[in-house]
Amino acid sequence: MSTTESDAETVQITVNGDDRSVPHRYPLTDLLHDLNVDPESVSGVAVAINESVVRRQDWSDVTLAEGDTVEVITAQQGG
Amino acid sequence: MSEAAPTDTRPTASTRDASDDALTIGGETYSSRLLIGSSAYPNPQIMLDAIDASGAELVTVAIRRVNVESPAPESHLDLIRKGGYRVLPNTAGCYTAREAVLVAQLAREALDTDLIKLEVIGDDETLMPDVEQLLKAAKELIDDGFTVLAYANDDPITCRKLADMGCAAVMPLGSPIGSGMGIVNPYNLRIIREVVTDTPLIVDAGIGTASDATIAMELGYDGILLNTAIAEAQHPVAMAKAMRLAVESGRLAYQAGRVPERIYAKASSSMEGRVGQ
């Protein structure tokens, strides 16, 4: 059974608790754009993949793989 | 002729001027001893006006997932920072040390601060700390270089452990978060103040009105952290001012040293020279 390359290259990840399909080796910065977070200009946002914080200077070096759990957080009102 | 001065840990009377009486947390000094939260105000402008009226320099924020569906036009974080306040992120909503450590690490990355208000709760009815997880998280965060302000039960043993392991401030609750019940166990808070001598103590949670804050400060506490009492007051800005005055008042009264309590009267006026003697 053959699969198209695009099917084969799709991976399942979890982003802020929701399942999401993205291309294999999808850049983290592309995902952030999908979330309306501009990786160039945004402030007050942090990212963890599989419970490890990805430093901002490393965002552009990171791509996503099958099963990755991504958290993208910011500061909100709190006590 | 000279007698040894009684042991007294209070600052001397010369520190009456509040400007000389800074609160030091993790090497940073603050002229205000009131820390306030940024949640539940009627609107962002009232929040800013209330923070201003409170005199607070440290303002707490929560760490949450970005809201992809409805991004805020201008975040509370932006507003707080524009106001020149220092942000104190919390780990509210964390139930385990593992969650709290990750949230603290995310907060440090997002906000470029080592400060963390550590909350590790046991359930969502009482919001009481889970002591086992709290101590574990505090240790890990201190080892990781954080300046930890730990929200704790009003339990002298836990508070002493948190202080001994190197928390920058220990913050026992006055009563449950958001309850407005005030200081329900002043005796425990007194004991905590006696056993924790070298670490700032802040009453965090339960303050309902100004006198609650004053009572905590009169017990020798170094500061007050509150949110609901101001944010959900009928007039938050007025209550913020009341809290500022209450904290200053309690601090001054503590430094001044109250008179001993007695159950019988003691005349203020001299009995000498009474008419009809």
Side-chain angles (χ1 to χ4, degrees), chain A residues 51 55-56 71 76 79, chain B residues 38 62 64-65 90 98 109:
Chain A
E51 300 194 4
R55 301 297 306 273
R56 184 172 182 147
E71 295 284 347
Q76 295 183 358
Chain B
S38 57
R64 292 289 180 267
R65 289 167 166 168
N90 68 29
R98 184 174 161 181
E109 174 68 13

Side-chain angles (χ1 to χ4, degrees), chain A residues 16-17 34-37 43-48 51-57 71-79, chain B residues 37-41 60-66 68 71 76-78 90 98 102 105-106 109-111 117 119 227:
Chain A
N16 284 355
D34 297 343
L35 302 175
N36 296 321
V37 172
S43 70
V45 168
V47 175
E51 300 194 4
S52 292
V53 173
V54 180
R55 301 297 306 273
R56 184 172 182 147
Q57 61 264 33
E71 295 284 347
V72 185
I73 64 83
T74 189
Q76 295 183 358
Q77 50 183 307
Chain B
S38 57
S39 185
Y41 294 86
T60 61
V61 294
I63 299 300
R64 292 289 180 267
R65 289 167 166 168
V66 295
V68 181
H76 283 74
L77 175 65
D78 294 335
N90 68 29
R98 184 174 161 181
L102 176 59
Q105 290 170 339
L106 284 164
E109 174 68 13
L111 304 174
K117 176 189 163 182
E119 288 183 52
N227 190 154

Side-chain angles (χ1 to χ4, degrees), chain B residues 5 49 75 85 131 217 236:
Chain B
D49 291 346
S75 74
Y85 306 105
V131 172
M217 295 304 291

